[in-house]
């Protein structure tokens, strides 16, 4: 299992970009040729015991892009837009509409395209292009861009420190500081579960019954690992400067099962996007204590690996026995199917 942060705004969208709009909700096992004949992945589903605190959604419900945008993009209730549309009553106020959409405090989203240093550099490059009759957004030579960045950085340094930079190193530090993207709020965590490559290879070439066993083993292993996390690694913090660690109801997450790697090879794996929203036992929505989650990464990975390997081995044995049975029936020796790969 790998683990990394998802940032607020558009940090989640690589999970939904791969979902083909016209795909069936349950793609299932399609065989090796389908990896090269089909495009897109199956839609995700909602998972996690924390869904008990999200009215309107249940485990297994399909995930929509609008729901992902609300929860992982903005830190709102996944059904925020629908809940606002359904709000009725006299004398409704802005607070009423905000209240039905919120899960605690919404995420703070930073527009990194509006960093003052970047804006000023872009404005001066646009001016250079206009002076020679080129489009404002036309690219310029690397040397010219470097010259503009250096000039702007020098001006920013003088404005901040009241003096010229002492040397090139000090000026380079100013460029690095002023062009660095601003820190985004953590919207969640991407937990990616992948069996060993040989399991994905067997799953891709196996007959549907055996492939189904392998995929069920993978999903059961994911479920075990998430249960481990909920029992041992899911907390929030309260009090001044988060001094007190407290228990929570459970995780709120979406699971996207993908069938291939970025290179296009068969690669069964599941992305579990865990929202950085957990509900305390007294029903407050707060953030996950990420330090504990990261410390539990290895233990959760081993939980997944142990369950996945043992059940996949059973599927391998079933495939081998199936091949032997076919051999006995046909009276031939050697491999009778694509299942006995040893």
């Amino acid at each position: 299992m790998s683990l990394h942060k998802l940032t607020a705004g558009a940090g989640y969208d690589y999970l939904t970009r791969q979902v083909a709009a016209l795909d069936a909700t349950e793609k299932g096992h399609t065989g090796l040729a389908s990896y090269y004949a089909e495009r897109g992945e199956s839609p995700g589903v909602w998972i996690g015991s924390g869904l008990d605190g999200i009215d309107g959604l249940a485990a297994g419900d399909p995930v929509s892009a609008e729901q992902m945008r609300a929860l992982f993009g903005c830190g709102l209730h996944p059904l925020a837009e629908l809940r606002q549309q359904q709000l009725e009553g006299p004398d409704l106020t802005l607070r009423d509409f905000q209240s039905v959409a919120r899960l605690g405090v919404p995420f703070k989203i930073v527009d990194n395209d509006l960093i003052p240093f970047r804006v000023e550099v872009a404005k001066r490059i646009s001016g250079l292009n206009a002076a020679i009759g080129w489009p404002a957004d036309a690219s310029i030579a690397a040397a010219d861009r470097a010259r503009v960045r250096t000039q702007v950085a020098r001006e920013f340094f003088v404005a901040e420190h009241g003096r010229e930079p002492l040397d090139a190193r000090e000026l380079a530090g100013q460029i690095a500081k002023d062009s660095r993207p601003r820190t985004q709020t953590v919207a969640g965590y991407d937990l990616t579960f992948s069996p060993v490559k040989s399991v994905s290879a067997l799953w891709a070439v196996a007959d549907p019954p055996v492939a189904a066993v392998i995929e069920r083993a993978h999903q059961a292993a994911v479920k075990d690992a998430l249960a481990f996390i909920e029992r041992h690694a899911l907390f929030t913090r309260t009090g001044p400067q988060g001094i007190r660690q407290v228990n929570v109801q459970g995780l709120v997450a979406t699971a996207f099962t993908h069938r291939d790697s970025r290179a296009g090879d068969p690669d069964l794996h599941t992305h579990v996007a865990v929202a950085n929203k957990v509900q305390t036992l007294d029903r407050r929505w707060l953030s996950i204590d990420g330090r504990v989650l990261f410390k539990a990464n290895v233990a959760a990975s081993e939980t997944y690996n142990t369950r996945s390997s043992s059940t996949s081995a059973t599927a391998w044995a079933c495939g081998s026995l199936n091949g032997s049975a076919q051999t006995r029936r046909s009276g031939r020796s050697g491999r009778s199917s694509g299942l006995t790969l040893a």
Side-chain angles (χ1 to χ4, degrees):
M1 182 190 86
S2 65
L3 170 63
H4 73 265
K5 297 176 182 178
L6 297 172
T7 56
Y12 70 91
D13 65 353
Y14 69 95
L15 294 172
T16 55
R17 276 201 308 267
Q18 298 186 61
V19 176
L22 300 180
D23 279 350
T25 300
E26 296 294 336
K27 186 180 289 288
H29 180 72
T30 55
L32 185 60
S34 297
Y35 293 108
Y36 307 102
E38 298 183 9
R39 299 185 63 84
E41 297 287 1
S42 300
V45 295
W46 289 99
I47 60 172
S49 59
L51 284 171
D52 291 343
I54 306 286
D55 55 311
L57 287 177
D61 286 351
V63 179
S64 71
E66 292 76 16
Q67 293 167 359
M68 289 290 289
R69 186 182 307 114
L71 180 57
F72 289 92
C74 304
L76 300 175
H77 191 291
L79 303 176
E81 185 175 352
L82 177 62
R83 288 164 63 86
Q84 289 179 334
Q85 291 173 353
Q86 294 176 340
L87 194 62
E88 297 179 351
D91 303 321
L92 291 174
T93 66
L94 177 61
R95 179 183 289 273
D96 295 323
F97 285 95
Q98 291 176 338
S99 178
V100 298
R102 287 188 172 180
L103 289 182
V105 179
F107 296 145
K108 181 180 179 181
I109 302 173
V110 178
D111 189 346
N112 282 315
D113 290 335
L114 297 180
I115 294 175
F117 177 79
R118 294 183 177 181
V119 170
E120 184 61 26
V121 169
K123 184 165 63 174
R124 297 198 186 185
I125 290 176
S126 176
L128 289 177
N129 285 331
I132 58 176
W134 287 4
D137 58 351
S139 60
I140 65 174
D144 292 335
R145 176 178 290 275
R147 179 174 55 81
V148 171
R149 286 169 59 86
T150 299
Q151 181 181 356
V152 173
R154 185 183 301 277
E155 294 174 7
F156 273 50
F157 187 96
V158 172
E160 180 176 344
H161 300 282
R163 62 174 177 84
E164 290 284 332
L166 297 176
D167 51 28
R169 181 175 182 178
E170 207 170 42
L171 184 59
Q174 185 74 26
I175 293 175
K177 180 175 72 71
D178 288 339
S179 60
R180 185 181 302 125
R182 298 169 182 170
T183 302
Q184 292 279 28
T185 302
V186 176
Y189 302 88
D190 180 4
L191 283 56
T192 305
F193 298 91
S194 305
V196 296
K197 189 64 178 179
S198 59
V199 171
S200 287
L202 175 63
W203 172 77
V205 301
D207 289 338
V210 176
V213 172
I214 295 173
E215 187 161 356
R216 285 197 298 270
H218 165 71
Q219 300 295 355
V222 171
K223 185 177 180 180
D224 279 3
L226 295 178
F228 172 88
I229 289 172
E230 287 194 322
R231 287 194 305 269
H232 302 291
L234 197 65
F235 302 93
T236 189
R237 305 195 75 88
T238 62
Q241 299 181 350
I243 192 171
R244 187 162 67 97
Q245 187 183 75
V246 299
N247 293 320
V248 298
Q249 300 286 353
L251 58 83
V252 176
T254 60
F256 292 82
T257 297
H258 292 169
R259 304 173 301 152
D260 52 23
S261 67
R262 292 180 179 179
D265 298 325
D267 181 21
L268 175 65
H269 63 284
T270 296
H271 291 276
V272 176
V274 177
N276 194 19
K277 293 283 185 180
V278 285
Q279 197 173 31
T280 62
L281 301 185
D282 59 359
R283 301 295 179 179
R284 289 180 297 158
W285 286 98
L286 299 174
S287 300
I288 292 173
D289 186 350
R291 295 172 298 179
V292 181
L293 185 61
F294 275 95
K295 288 180 180 178
N297 188 8
V298 173
S301 296
E302 288 306 309
T303 301
Y304 167 79
N305 292 337
T306 300
R307 176 67 183 270
S308 176
S309 298
S310 62
T311 316
S312 295
T314 301
W316 181 285
C318 289
S320 298
L321 290 174
N322 181 49
S324 299
Q326 291 183 13
T327 299
R328 287 195 299 271
R329 287 196 298 270
S330 64
R332 297 191 300 270
S333 61
R335 293 189 181 93
S336 60
S337 74
L339 301 178
T340 50
L341 302 179

